[in-house]
Amino acid sequence: MEKGEDTESGGGDEQGSDLRASGAEVLPDGRSGLRLKGWHIEARNRPILSSLALQQWEQKLGTTHMPEMIFGESSLVLEHIKSGIKLHFNAFDALKGWKEESLPPVEVPAAAKWKFISKPFEQVILDYDYTFTTPYCGSEIVESDATKEPSKVGTCCLHWEDCDERINLVALASKEPILFYNEVILYEDELSDNGVSLLTVKVRVMPTCWFLLLRFWLRVDGVLMRLRDTRMYCSFGDDHNARPVILREICWRGATFNDLTARGFPSDCAAYSDPNLISQRLPVINQKTQKLKISWGKMH
């Protein structure tokens, strides 16, 4: 999250007072999250996948190439109880997106050397996107009583429609208390110490809204950088039972080190360790704003 976006919650008595004043309930049993204004929001930070689970994922995804660290049971879930709208963010769906997009491998002379070092007795052909770049923007489903009663309704699904509205980042930078903040790492790969490939999702909840940033950050040292950001925002409004209005902004940026150097920026990789600081240096490749819609179809 950029300035005004990436602020952790305060601690102690002050936060407890803010929670009570807003009507929020902390989740029981030590779970990380809260219930507020008709929403159930929960972050789950779990260990790296076990070897057995990793093999199962490889079979399901149809690949033997996986990031070094996959936090497969970690997730962020935001569910609007009355409408049944459920947004969730997880590594498996993100890697499905990587597999489906199937970008060509980044052309870099060192790449073959990295893989040769890791498997010196094998002839390794880089015929896959070893950066694990994903187009993933989150997952969404409807889980409501209505969808469980086919006699009452038809099929229900969620979809995103392009719109002209924008998320008000200036308002998000206000001094409104932060009731809940968490960051969930979904997967990470250090590209054999030649860069970083990282997918994370951060959320913060205020008395009047929630806001999250799903970010894929890639730096292949000396070659290129990619930044794929998905921001989502929901204002609670007065009627907590009403269907929520959720905005999603997608912004993809990217550039080669040669392009940045030609524009007068540093060529040293150490200058690009923090994506928050260099995001504005990377030109926009794709950008759009969307609104979440529910559509109903007749049962066959």
Side-chain angles (χ1 to χ4, degrees):
M1 295 186 180
E2 296 170 6
K3 186 177 181 181
E5 300 178 75
D6 190 8
T7 307
E8 297 192 27
S9 55
D13 296 337
E14 182 179 349
Q15 186 183 10
S17 176
D18 291 334
L19 286 167
R20 290 189 294 272
S22 65
E25 299 177 22
V26 176
L27 297 184
D29 304 322
R31 289 145 64 198
S32 179
L34 48 70
R35 294 189 181 98
L36 174 66
K37 308 292 176 65
W39 282 90
H40 174 105
I41 299 172
E42 183 173 358
R44 300 163 184 159
N45 292 281
R46 302 289 188 264
I48 295 172
L49 277 184
S50 66
S51 298
L52 177 59
L54 184 61
Q55 291 176 7
Q56 294 172 343
W57 277 42
E58 290 176 344
Q59 292 175 357
K60 291 177 181 178
L61 291 168
T63 181
T64 57
H65 308 296
M66 300 288 265
E68 291 172 341
M69 293 173 283
I70 303 175
F71 300 87
E73 296 180 4
S74 296
S75 65
L76 173 67
V77 178
L78 305 95
E79 182 174 5
H80 187 255
I81 304 301
K82 189 68 176 181
S83 68
I85 292 175
K86 182 178 179 180
L87 306 171
H88 57 106
F89 302 83
N90 62 87
F92 187 83
D93 288 350
L95 288 171
K96 280 177 61 179
W98 157 74
K99 189 73 164 43
E100 291 167 2
E101 187 176 24
S102 190
L103 293 176
V106 175
E107 292 291 337
V108 48
K113 181 181 176 182
W114 305 343
K115 304 306 174 183
F116 182 76
I117 291 173
S118 63
K119 297 183 178 180
F121 302 108
E122 297 180 22
Q123 183 179 3
V124 178
I125 300 175
L126 288 174
D127 56 354
Y128 69 100
D129 175 22
Y130 57 84
T131 69
F132 303 102
T133 300
T134 178
Y136 184 60
C137 297
S139 309
E140 61 278 334
I141 57 174
V142 177
E143 288 188 347
S144 68
D145 292 338
T147 60
K148 299 172 185 176
E149 301 181 40
S151 61
K152 294 176 105 177
V153 297
T155 57
C156 173
C157 64
L158 298 173
H159 64 281
W160 295 92
E161 288 185 358
D162 292 347
C163 67
D164 295 325
E165 298 179 52
R166 297 296 302 273
I167 296 174
N168 190 342
L169 297 179
V170 175
L172 286 169
S174 67
K175 295 300 183 181
E176 190 175 17
I178 297 173
L179 306 177
F180 176 67
Y181 172 91
N182 205 304
E183 176 181 8
V184 179
I185 300 175
L186 299 179
Y187 64 74
E188 183 174 4
D189 194 303
E190 295 182 353
L191 307 180
S192 298
D193 294 326
N194 285 270
V196 62
S197 172
L198 177 65
L199 182 66
T200 63
V201 58
K202 301 178 183 180
V203 63
R204 64 183 170 107
V205 184
M206 287 73 72
T208 62
C209 65
W210 59 255
F211 175 75
L212 67 84
L213 170 62
L214 173 72
R215 167 169 284 176
F216 173 78
W217 164 237
L218 171 71
R219 188 189 73 245
V220 182
D221 290 344
V223 183
L224 61 77
M225 287 179 285
R226 292 176 184 149
L227 192 63
R228 294 186 171 185
D229 285 347
T230 300
R231 293 174 172 84
M232 291 189 191
Y233 170 83
C234 179
S235 177
F236 294 134
D238 297 324
D239 185 356
H240 306 153
N241 292 323
R243 187 178 299 166
V245 177
I246 302 171
L247 291 179
R248 177 171 83 174
E249 287 186 6
I250 299 170
C251 182
W252 291 4
R253 297 174 179 270
T256 66
F257 272 76
N258 287 340
D259 289 339
L260 291 170
T261 302
R263 291 164 53 200
F265 294 121
S267 58
D268 183 9
C269 299
Y272 302 101
S273 59
D274 185 350
N276 288 323
L277 300 179
I278 61 92
S279 61
Q280 298 305 313
R281 298 181 181 180
L282 303 179
V284 174
I285 298 171
N286 179 28
Q287 188 169 21
K288 58 186 173 183
T289 305
Q290 300 173 313
K291 185 179 291 186
L292 187 62
K293 299 287 186 179
I294 294 182
S295 59
W296 301 89
K298 294 181 180 180
M299 296 295 292
H300 297 289

